[in-house]
Amino acid sequence: AVLHDPEVMLFDEPHTGLDQDACVMLDNVLREVAARGRTVVMTSHDLARAADLASRFDVLSQGRIIASAGRDEMHPDELLAFYRRSINE
């Protein structure tokens, strides 16, 4: 996916089925891609990993973004509370 250096990369649960070492390798690749100014959009149910990687958090419900916040708008430890507030509103 990264060989042709696309402007935008879409990933749907990319860590599913990977062991811990492979997850760390993928995280490093995603960080490198983002550092080159590329956009990485990723869905994930792994909030701890998302909090570590993301610069922006969007909560989807029924195919729509119902809440959005930048990394600078909340502490990564608040991501689960942000998600729960969003889906209960």
Side-chain angles (χ1 to χ4, degrees):
V2 299
L3 288 178
H4 65 287
D5 199 26
E7 293 289 323
V8 178
M9 296 176 59
L10 304 174
F11 292 95
D12 183 15
E13 297 287 346
H15 297 91
T16 300
L18 299 180
D19 64 27
Q20 292 304 306
D21 290 337
C23 285
V24 170
M25 288 174 24
L26 177 59
D27 291 349
N28 290 335
V29 168
L30 295 174
R31 284 188 187 96
E32 288 174 23
V33 167
R36 290 196 314 264
R38 302 304 188 226
T39 300
V40 177
V41 177
M42 179 177 72
T43 62
S44 181
H45 289 93
D46 185 343
L47 296 183
R49 179 156 266 121
D52 185 47
L53 291 170
S55 60
R56 170 153 226 84
F57 308 102
D58 296 320
V59 178
L60 296 174
S61 179
Q62 299 179 353
R64 293 202 160 106
I65 296 174
I66 60 170
S68 186
R71 177 183 210 91
D72 58 341
E73 297 175 57
M74 78 173 103
H75 189 276
D77 291 341
E78 298 172 19
L79 187 53
L80 180 58
F82 170 72
Y83 172 78
R84 287 184 174 156
R85 274 193 317 273
S86 301
I87 62 170
N88 290 322
E89 290 182 351

